[in-house]
Amino acid sequence: MSELKLYTYIAVFGSFAIYFAIAWFARAKTTSDFYAAGGGITPLQNGMAIGADWMSAASFLSMAGLIAFMGYGGSVFLMGWTGGFVLLATLLAPYMRKHGKFTVPEFIADRYDSKTARVVAIVCLIVASVTYIIGQMKGVGVAFSRFLEVDYDLGLGIGMIVVWVYAVLGGMKGITYTQIAQYCVLIFAYTIPAVFISLQLTGNPIPQLGLGSTLADGSGVYLLDKIDMVVTDLGFKEYTTDNMGGTLNMFAYTMSLMIGTAGLPHVIMRFFTVPTVKDARASAGYALVFIALLYTVAPAVGAMARFNLMNTIEPSAGQPLEYEKRPQWFKDWEKTGLLKFEDKNGDGKIQYVADPVKNEMVKIDRDIMVLANPAIANLPNWVIALVAAGGLAAALSTAAGLLLAISSAISHDLMKGILIPNLSEKSELKASRIVMTIAVIIAGYLGLNPPGFAAGTVALAFGLAGSSLFPALMMGIFSKKINGQAAVAGMCSGLGVTMLYVFQHKGIMFIPGTSFLGGMEQNWFLGISPNAFGVVGAIVNFSVAFIVTKVTGDAPLHIQQLVDNLRYPRGAGAASDH
């Protein structure tokens, strides 16, 4: 066994053993434990768990990969996700915690005094969460396939089993403490290689500062200027100015990610695990600090990964690398099928250029960049193994939170809340675990054929949540007049418009060959990409809801009084299940 494989097994399976042990000792025994961890989590613990829940495979694996290849255009993910969390922390979380119920559909049912609204919210939650979890499964498959040297499908299967064990056993209580451990793993795994590479390239050990520093070779050239020179020489767009499909699309993408962040139920649920509203606000503050530790490093990781990749393939100007002399990391990733070379001109050299006709690097999966980065930079094997464990921690932590959101929506909101009101606590707990098992299987199946790279798939989920749940929550808290009929019409129209647009470009249920307009930009509405269309859906949602309210009348007086009470988040008790 190679040294790298040994270190990888120790890091990955050692971390798995910790997760299983935590899940066993913190296993859920009541529905309160399963849905809200008994309401006894401290703000610091919750902030760290939120950080792990929030920083998914898309954040850990895919965001830096997008920034590596898109440059400035990739910043929409940083701006959208960070700005969205601020929206969630200030405009939604304290008020949701004040209301004190376990789930988003339950809040919507109470606020709009409508079982129909609850059912629609359940559908919206499941659609967004299932789409989101596909991205996590893609990340799990990518990490396992490379570092355990197994097939992508088998890697995905292993990940499914791991997340099933600790999520089904522990519920929210077990997931919370597991996510604290996973945050520690993923943040060390992300920042330690970044420190090494920044020191290597610029002589500055702080990656955030290294990004804006001069190269360590004594040339006096700034790192970003050098990247611009390298990529433009090969025909690519300038790294520091390239935007994503135009200014309007950049704005729409950022806004879609922001409102999607604020509408994602698995993060909102975390705020029900602390004792008071004050603690919910404190949790959000801690979470922002923990998230910033990774998010401020991501641009440096992306830029440095791109620089090292280009320098590897073309070590000197006009002298591309001979394919037979490619480094070991190149060979390792070729085995996974996520990196592919095709010798189009037969010269035995790797031509990596912008022109698709001449370009011989026919596939560089963006999701591999963070995982491959330490090996490209020739860092020690233990660092590479740590990154593998970190990538898996990021994917598994978010997958667990999403599975809990899905299971609670079906067992708590649909079964106990609507279909079987007299369901006992023991039966509800059993149903939650059965539903979570089914959700794992479905998520794994969809992960075998994901509709795109991890962050792109996640962006779709954010668009779906932002177009359906976010407007309903915002109007529920800040508008006393919106009634149940209006909320239902708004959610249906917002989700419907967004899904129609996404499916006509991405395929019905993301099935290849079923897209009837294709992904071509000339078919985009006002130049807005499918992944960014959530903001349009949200505008439709708000508009329809206000129009229906005008026609059908304002919400009843007791609902308006409930909204008034929500606006003053003081004295909230424990989260309740009825």
Side-chain angles (χ1 to χ4, degrees):
M1 182 183 292
S2 68
E3 182 186 57
L4 174 58
K5 186 177 283 190
L6 176 62
Y7 280 133
T8 303
Y9 280 2
I10 292 171
V12 171
F13 291 109
S15 61
F16 285 176
I18 293 171
Y19 305 155
F20 289 159
I22 291 171
W24 174 255
F25 286 110
R27 60 191 182 278
K29 298 176 182 177
T30 66
T31 53
S32 178
D33 283 346
F34 196 85
Y35 296 133
I41 305 300
T42 68
L44 181 63
Q45 291 172 331
N46 200 38
M48 196 174 289
I50 290 169
D53 206 353
W54 177 237
M55 290 185 292
S56 62
S59 291
F60 190 97
L61 298 179
S62 205
M63 182 169 61
L66 285 166
I67 294 171
F69 288 96
M70 300 171 65
Y72 170 71
S75 65
V76 297
F77 292 92
L78 277 174
M79 296 185 292
W81 285 336
T82 307
F85 195 87
V86 174
L87 276 182
L88 171 62
T90 56
L91 298 181
L92 293 180
Y95 304 100
M96 298 285 289
R97 180 62 191 85
K98 162 65 176 173
H99 187 63
K101 295 297 176 70
F102 285 147
T103 67
V104 169
E106 197 168 14
F107 167 78
I108 287 176
D110 289 353
R111 161 58 185 86
Y112 294 110
D113 196 21
S114 167
K115 286 188 176 181
T116 305
R118 188 173 190 164
V119 172
V120 173
I122 291 168
V123 172
C124 294
L125 182 152
I126 291 171
V127 169
S129 297
V130 168
T131 308
Y132 195 172
I133 209 170
I134 296 171
Q136 311 317 307
M137 292 303 176
K138 167 82 186 295
V140 170
V142 168
F144 268 120
S145 66
R146 163 62 188 93
F147 290 103
L148 300 186
E149 295 183 9
V150 297
D151 183 71
Y152 173 87
D153 295 357
L154 178 58
L156 185 59
I158 296 170
M160 287 167 60
I161 292 169
V162 172
V163 76
W164 178 83
V165 170
Y166 76 79
V168 170
L169 183 67
M172 179 62 91
K173 189 174 181 181
I175 287 171
T176 297
Y177 292 112
T178 304
Q179 285 175 336
I180 293 170
Q182 287 168 331
Y183 177 81
C184 296
V185 172
L186 73 87
I187 200 65
F188 279 109
Y190 203 82
T191 53
I192 287 174
V195 169
F196 272 109
I197 295 169
S198 179
L199 195 60
Q200 190 181 78
L201 291 178
T202 68
N204 194 320
I206 304 173
Q208 295 93 324
L209 300 179
L211 181 62
S213 300
T214 56
L215 292 168
D217 59 8
S219 64
V221 178
Y222 284 92
L223 172 63
L224 287 173
D225 289 338
K226 182 65 174 179
I227 295 174
D228 277 342
M229 290 164 55
V230 171
V231 298
T232 52
D233 283 349
L234 297 174
F236 295 98
K237 293 180 180 178
E238 194 173 58
Y239 186 82
T240 53
T241 60
D242 183 23
N243 64 20
M244 189 193 290
T247 303
L248 178 61
N249 189 56
M250 285 275 287
F251 175 78
Y253 216 129
T254 304
M255 287 300 298
S256 183
L257 292 173
M258 284 180 67
I259 62 176
T261 297
L264 279 173
H266 75 289
V267 178
I268 293 174
M269 285 178 69
R270 291 234 52 91
F271 291 97
F272 301 142
T273 64
V274 292
T276 66
V277 173
K278 182 179 179 182
D279 290 336
R281 291 184 183 275
S283 296
Y286 283 123
L288 280 169
V289 173
F290 290 129
I291 291 168
L293 292 177
L294 186 145
Y295 270 39
T296 55
V297 174
V301 171
M304 292 173 185
R306 180 71 178 275
F307 182 72
N308 281 332
L309 176 69
M310 304 296 274
N311 277 350
T312 299
I313 294 175
E314 189 166 320
S316 57
Q319 295 295 321
L321 179 71
E322 290 183 26
Y323 181 68
E324 292 301 321
K325 295 181 180 179
R326 67 197 188 283
Q328 185 60 43
W329 68 263
F330 196 111
K331 298 175 184 177
D332 291 337
W333 281 106
E334 278 186 304
K335 294 175 186 175
T336 68
L338 299 172
L339 191 71
K340 291 181 181 177
F341 164 75
E342 182 182 320
D343 194 0
K344 294 179 179 179
N345 60 10
D347 66 352
K349 296 182 178 180
I350 303 173
Q351 310 287 338
Y352 180 36
V353 294
D355 185 347
V357 177
K358 298 178 181 178
N359 180 39
E360 296 178 341
M361 287 302 303
V362 293
K363 183 174 184 180
I364 304 176
D365 193 300
R366 295 168 180 178
D367 291 340
I368 74 172
M369 291 308 297
V370 169
L371 296 174
N373 201 17
I376 297 173
N378 294 313
L379 296 186
N381 284 331
W382 67 267
V383 178
I384 300 171
L386 183 62
V387 172
L392 289 167
L396 295 173
S397 62
T398 302
L402 290 164
L403 289 168
L404 184 63
I406 293 168
S407 70
S408 63
I410 294 175
S411 60
H412 184 70
D413 288 302
L414 185 61
M415 293 176 65
K416 186 175 178 62
I418 297 174
L419 301 178
I420 317 172
N422 297 322
L423 189 68
S424 68
E425 182 171 314
K426 184 178 180 181
S427 297
E428 185 184 348
L429 198 57
K430 184 178 179 181
S432 297
R433 288 179 163 137
I434 292 171
V435 169
M436 193 178 284
T437 301
I438 295 169
V440 170
I441 294 169
I442 294 172
Y445 172 76
L446 293 172
L448 292 175
N449 296 289
F453 50 90
T457 307
V458 166
L460 293 176
F462 279 65
L464 295 170
S467 63
S468 57
L469 294 174
F470 173 75
L473 294 174
M474 285 293 290
M475 291 184 290
I477 294 169
F478 295 103
S479 174
K480 294 190 291 185
K481 296 183 178 181
I482 302 296
N483 62 41
Q485 293 168 285
V488 169
M491 285 189 287
C492 289
S493 58
L495 182 67
V497 165
T498 306
M499 287 186 71
L500 176 64
Y501 190 77
V502 168
F503 285 169
Q504 69 187 11
H505 290 289
K506 299 278 186 178
I508 299 169
M509 295 305 295
F510 310 121
I511 298 171
T514 61
S515 57
F516 44 93
L517 282 184
M520 296 180 291
E521 292 189 23
Q522 60 265 34
N523 292 328
W524 290 356
F525 174 73
L526 297 178
I528 298 174
S529 68
N531 291 9
F533 204 72
V535 68
V536 179
I539 293 170
V540 171
N541 188 330
F542 278 116
S543 302
V544 168
F546 280 107
I547 291 169
V548 172
T549 299
K550 286 288 184 183
V551 174
T552 58
D554 295 346
L557 182 60
H558 72 280
I559 295 297
Q560 296 191 35
Q561 290 171 343
L562 183 151
V563 176
D564 277 334
N565 185 50
L566 277 178
R567 290 177 179 173
Y568 302 95
R570 297 191 301 269
S576 60
D577 62 353
H578 60 273

